[in-house]
Amino acid sequence: MTAKEIIAAFRSGQMSEEEAVARLTSLYRQKATPGVKAEASSHVDASDIPLNGSGNSQNASAKPASIPLHKQVVDTQVSAPALARGDSVPAKESASCDIAVIGMSGRFPDAADVEEFWSNLTTGRDSVREVPKSRWDTDKYYDPNPAAPGKTYSKWAGLLEDIEYFDPLFFNISPLEAEFMDPQQRLFLQEAWRAFEDAGYAPSALSGTQCGVFVGVSSGDYQSLLTEAGIDGDAYMLLGNAIAILAGRIGYVLNLKGPSVAIDTASSS
């Protein structure tokens, strides 16, 4: 069986976790070159604080208390514990490492998670529609004439739902600070938390590890809205709207020790 077939059998319940790990390890050893050391991480009890999914106490749905960490086979001469400590990996060896996506989360127009998003794609659902009055008054800005000054000839958009819902205390953030946070920061905190949950990690398992955060993000206009509302000069305003802070928030909450990088390449971010 290939690695993909083994993982699929495990996920479908046709194969136990122990058998899947044994087969993956055996498969790796068959392909390993002489002198390359294979090591699998041990089972970890994550019963202390399970991740709750959304970061929102109103719709939290905790996973089972005891969650094993994903088994990893490291294709280098550096063991998994050494990687967790942040030991350097030889460049020649690190180039041969495989990358596995072990957790995923996202929120999209008409889709609260990646499963709903995939369903919308497969059924051909169009999630672009006229902007509702609850978001902004299109009558003030819309004009069908593209040459009309100070106007836009588009009144349609793909919009996220429930962007105003956020439980700051869950992330040890004060309600006052949360008011100054760009919705991008709130959404990223929630979805990053859910991605770790989807991967089966608990907060204590991640604390102090060399886990990096890399975010594609561009500055929004939330700070401009705050200024228009007569709010200016507050320190929380800077923290809540800087894209560098956005990248660092989940690392701060989970005590991650890896790099924290915000990447702004315009549309591709």
Side-chain angles (χ1 to χ4, degrees):
M1 297 177 70
T2 65
K4 287 184 177 180
E5 290 172 338
I6 294 171
I7 294 172
F10 167 67
R11 287 180 172 174
S12 64
Q14 299 175 6
M15 186 181 298
S16 68
E17 180 181 336
E18 291 73 16
E19 183 181 358
V21 172
R23 291 202 179 198
L24 286 172
T25 303
S26 175
L27 187 64
Y28 165 77
R29 285 173 176 166
Q30 292 173 14
K31 296 180 179 180
T33 56
V36 175
K37 180 181 179 182
E39 182 169 328
S41 63
S42 60
H43 184 282
V44 175
D45 184 2
S47 60
D48 50 356
I49 310 176
L51 300 177
N52 89 326
S54 66
N56 187 331
S57 60
Q58 295 174 333
N59 59 1
S61 56
K63 282 197 169 186
S66 182
I67 307 174
L69 288 179
H70 286 267
K71 301 298 187 296
Q72 302 176 46
V73 177
V74 182
D75 186 20
T76 72
Q77 292 180 345
V78 181
S79 65
L83 289 174
R85 291 194 304 270
D87 294 353
S88 61
V89 180
K92 182 176 68 175
E93 297 294 343
S94 63
S96 65
C97 288
D98 292 331
I99 297 176
V101 177
I102 61 171
M104 186 182 299
S105 181
R107 201 183 309 183
F108 312 88
D110 287 339
D113 51 44
V114 290
E115 287 78 14
E116 287 187 19
F117 182 58
W118 177 249
S119 176
N120 290 347
L121 291 176
T122 56
T123 57
R125 181 174 183 175
D126 186 352
S127 298
V128 175
R129 55 182 61 92
E130 281 199 31
V131 176
K133 297 288 186 182
S134 59
R135 298 304 287 271
W136 64 81
D137 185 3
T138 55
D139 294 336
K140 292 176 60 178
Y141 308 105
Y142 174 73
D143 193 301
N145 178 14
K151 298 289 185 177
T152 175
Y153 60 94
S154 176
K155 57 178 178 179
W156 301 269
L159 300 171
L160 302 184
E161 299 293 333
D162 300 331
I163 60 170
E164 68 273 28
Y165 294 122
F166 180 69
D167 184 357
L169 299 181
F170 180 85
F171 295 105
N172 293 321
I173 296 172
S174 72
L176 176 62
E177 181 178 356
E179 291 182 9
F180 290 89
M181 289 171 60
D182 186 327
Q184 291 186 106
Q185 290 200 14
R186 306 176 206 160
L187 290 166
F188 178 69
L189 265 175
Q190 292 172 319
E191 296 309 313
W193 186 278
R194 292 175 64 185
F196 281 123
E197 177 195 33
D198 189 56
Y201 284 96
S204 61
L206 294 164
S207 179
T209 61
Q210 289 291 325
C211 180
V213 180
F214 304 88
V215 188
V217 60
S218 290
S219 299
D221 59 0
Y222 192 67
Q223 185 167 353
S224 298
L225 295 176
L226 293 173
T227 301
E228 290 177 8
I231 304 172
D232 203 358
D234 194 292
Y236 285 146
M237 190 170 176
L238 170 63
L239 295 175
N241 292 272
I243 60 175
I245 301 299
L246 180 148
R249 284 206 181 263
I250 190 66
Y252 181 78
V253 170
L254 297 177
N255 192 35
L256 307 179
K257 299 302 183 181
S260 179
V261 182
I263 304 168
D264 183 357
T265 54
S267 296
S268 56
S269 284

